[in-house]
Amino acid sequence: MSPSISRRTALTLAGGATAGLLVPATAQAGGRFPVLRPGRAEEAGMAEGPLAALDEAVTARMGPGQDAAYPGAVLLVARHGVVVKHTAYGHAQTHRDGERLDRPRPMRPDTVFDLASCSKVLATTAAIMALVDDGLVSQDAPAARWVPGVPRAVTVRRLLTHTAGLWEWQPTYLWAEDPAEAVSYITGLPLRYGVGEGRHYSDLGFMLLGEIVRRASGRSLPAYVHDRVHRRLRMRDTGYRPGRRGNTAATSLGNAYERRMIDTEDPYPILGDRGVEDFDGWRKHTLVGEVNDGNAAYSFHGVAGHAGLFGTARDIAVFAQTLANGGGYGHRRVLADATVEEFTRDAYELGQGLGFWTHRFEDVPGLGDGGVGHSGFTGTEFAVDRRDGLIVVLLTNRLHPRLPAASVEPTWRAVREGVAEALAGTAQRG
């Protein structure tokens, strides 16, 4: 996306509609790849009843009550390029700065969400894939080629797979006021683990990957990934720093969660001798259109490799369909098939590809062992089975209106189980 996010309200179908059953991973006649279009459940080989029951799966934990997990959500389900469900529930914002709104903003199918760590794959990993295709980055090159100070044993592949030995998290903003200082701070930290000694999910590693994109491409991360990937896919509502707009879901009241992480040193020890009181930039308002993540907001000014991207369920589904197609969408090939294949399969650890999480459907009977995607701290989830063409996107605003926030995992599981029933229902009729 360009610096601002568009206000399109319809489910626009990039590349246009197609007729008939669409099969993923192959281009149609004339070099056309499958694109998303709305359709009936039977066209996607799914049963309507279980799909309708997904409404209850989402709304069961929604509402303003003490036991509610989130005030609103958007769910999108597609298969073989056919969007069989794209539904909004509840509210995008119910409070402002601790006070309940007289008229809460309703959730819409095209509501824009803070995608949190889904940024790692929808932006940073996508950019690295494009750089690989363009011959500007090699997965096995040392990260120090672009970011001096990183140990030579740390390769781009190690950063993508969270096996580089870096610390999982540190509050860079206690020591850095801008991206350059933040990168310098990260490269100055000792490794917490040996390189290759297990998978340790690291925000810091993806902060460095964002910097690699900038230095390898000669452009900012938002500019490069927009022009090279998002614009070509017509992901019009995807980008960084959207600002306070009427169609953006609210997240938390300030950054109370990170303040507590620093105060308690839970779940990670805090390096150095600085604490909460040494930082005077804490936000105390309801966050709308500004990234929730403190490192992305304070040190990286809203644009970081690990967080900061905003987008819609529809745009995520377009990217997922592109993965299912092997890198193409409509009349455009955006990524090489071989690159998509390498990045979306297990690397050093089961369940972790290059950037992407794998086997996200494996724990639900009836969905197989596929499911490439990611999740985000703000309550965002997506997965695509590249062989079957099944796409599931669940976006919630679980951090709103205040902490403590409940996990979205029970809803994510209930949704996947419902999707499995929709697939089984068709099989039983057949």
Side-chain angles (χ1 to χ4, degrees):
M1 182 185 99
S2 57
S4 63
I5 286 180
S6 88
R7 300 192 181 196
R8 292 178 179 264
T9 59
L11 174 64
T12 54
L13 300 176
T18 60
L21 194 65
L22 301 177
V23 180
T26 58
Q28 294 180 314
R32 184 177 180 83
F33 292 93
V35 298
L36 295 177
R37 63 176 180 88
R40 299 184 304 277
E42 61 187 30
E43 296 178 78
M46 305 180 79
E48 179 61 40
L51 288 174
L54 291 175
D55 294 341
E56 183 177 350
V58 175
T59 59
R61 303 180 68 236
M62 183 183 76
Q66 291 296 319
D67 297 329
Y70 41 81
V74 174
L75 174 65
L76 188 151
V77 180
R79 187 172 183 238
H80 300 326
V82 181
V83 179
V84 295
K85 195 170 191 67
H86 187 193
T87 308
Y89 309 87
H91 295 97
Q93 184 174 4
T94 59
H95 290 68
R96 180 180 294 117
D97 303 341
E99 299 295 327
R100 185 165 182 84
L101 296 174
D102 292 335
R103 299 178 62 183
R105 284 196 292 114
M107 194 71 79
R108 299 173 4 190
D110 65 336
T111 292
V112 174
F113 286 79
D114 177 345
L115 300 177
S117 282
C118 287
S119 307
K120 290 181 172 74
V121 293
L122 295 168
T124 308
T125 300
I128 294 290
M129 294 168 80
L131 288 166
V132 168
D133 284 351
D134 294 344
L136 296 175
V137 166
S138 167
Q139 301 94 308
D140 295 309
R145 178 177 298 176
W146 299 278
V147 186
V150 178
R152 296 290 296 179
V154 174
T155 62
V156 173
R157 188 183 302 272
R158 289 294 183 187
L159 291 175
L160 286 165
T161 54
H162 303 281
T163 59
L166 274 68
W167 281 81
E168 296 90 339
W169 184 85
Q170 287 294 314
T172 63
Y173 44 86
L174 296 185
W175 309 88
E177 296 183 355
D178 59 41
E181 290 183 359
V183 169
S184 178
Y185 169 75
I186 294 167
T187 58
L189 293 176
L191 295 180
R192 188 178 190 189
Y193 312 95
V195 177
E197 293 182 359
R199 175 187 179 276
H200 305 281
Y201 183 79
S202 173
D203 276 3
L204 302 190
F206 268 77
M207 294 176 203
L208 294 182
L209 284 166
E211 180 68 2
I212 288 174
V213 171
R214 186 183 74 83
R215 297 193 183 191
S217 70
R219 307 183 67 191
S220 69
L221 171 60
Y224 180 75
V225 76
H226 167 71
D227 287 345
R228 186 58 176 78
V229 180
H230 298 160
R231 181 179 58 81
R232 299 184 186 194
L233 295 176
R234 299 186 186 177
M235 294 169 63
R236 298 182 178 94
D237 295 309
T238 299
Y240 292 84
R241 296 187 293 211
R244 186 178 284 269
R245 305 235 172 158
N247 194 31
T248 304
T251 59
S252 64
L253 180 63
N255 283 114
Y257 187 86
E258 290 193 23
R259 291 180 67 122
R260 186 163 62 244
M261 287 177 68
I262 297 170
D263 265 341
T264 63
E265 299 198 41
D266 180 27
Y268 311 114
I270 304 302
L271 302 177
D273 58 358
R274 297 183 184 180
V276 167
E277 301 305 321
D278 295 299
F279 181 67
D280 61 4
W282 293 109
R283 296 173 292 182
K284 299 179 181 179
H285 56 275
T286 296
L287 305 180
V288 182
E290 54 183 296
V291 61
N292 174 267
D293 182 272
N295 279 320
Y298 302 132
S299 297
F300 287 89
H301 302 170
V303 176
H306 71 294
L309 194 71
F310 286 73
T312 61
R314 175 263 175 197
D315 279 6
I316 294 174
V318 167
F319 184 80
Q321 184 65 46
T322 303
L323 295 179
N325 293 343
Y329 192 85
H331 292 294
R332 288 181 177 272
R333 173 167 287 286
V334 178
L335 299 167
D337 181 77
T339 302
V340 173
E341 176 64 29
E342 180 178 7
F343 273 67
T344 57
R345 65 172 179 248
D346 290 330
Y348 302 111
E349 302 276 346
L350 185 68
Q352 178 68 63
L354 300 187
F356 296 96
W357 294 351
T358 59
H359 308 295
R360 302 212 72 208
F361 292 146
E362 186 177 43
D363 61 335
V364 177
L367 291 187
D369 65 351
V372 172
H374 215 278
S375 72
F377 181 72
T378 51
T380 56
E381 302 273 358
F382 86 95
V384 52
D385 188 323
R386 294 190 57 231
R387 291 173 298 180
D388 185 70
L390 175 66
I391 297 168
V392 183
V393 182
L394 175 67
L395 305 180
T396 76
N397 50 350
R398 78 176 186 103
L399 300 183
H400 186 67
R402 61 178 63 86
L403 298 173
S407 171
V408 75
E409 172 57 32
T411 302
W412 175 237
R413 181 171 186 87
V415 164
R416 287 177 294 153
E417 289 174 344
V419 169
E421 290 177 12
L423 292 170
T426 300
Q428 290 169 4
R429 287 204 310 268

